[in-house]
Amino acid sequence: METSKFKTNIKCMGCVAKVTPHLDEAVGVGNWKVDIENPAKILSVDGEEQKVLEALKKAGYAGERMQ
């Protein structure tokens, strides 16, 4: 499966902890990661775009797919 990248508003490890159960459920443990050091807070995911966006929304965050 192709890795998709999303620009997010996940800012810190606390945010990562909050979104973890939602993304784990949507795309599986180990199938995503967030680079909070990058100014764009890039979320890299192996999974369906719609499931990722729904999981982010459930957790209270937003994401925009990068080209």
Side-chain angles (χ1 to χ4, degrees):
M1 182 172 278
E2 184 179 320
T3 300
S4 301
K5 294 185 184 274
F6 298 85
K7 182 178 177 181
T8 71
N9 61 343
I10 297 171
K11 296 180 178 169
C12 65
M13 290 308 295
C15 298
V16 172
K18 186 174 177 186
V19 79
T20 292
H22 300 281
L23 286 172
D24 284 351
E25 181 181 333
V27 297
V29 176
N31 291 322
W32 64 275
K33 65 181 177 180
V34 179
D35 181 0
I36 58 173
E37 299 299 319
N38 184 309
K41 312 301 184 201
I42 304 300
L43 168 64
S44 301
V45 182
D46 294 329
E48 293 180 39
E49 179 177 355
Q50 192 59 38
K51 285 184 178 181
V52 172
L53 294 174
E54 287 173 8
L56 287 172
K57 186 176 180 180
K58 275 186 188 176
Y61 295 93
E64 178 183 339
R65 183 153 186 179
M66 299 177 68
Q67 301 299 334

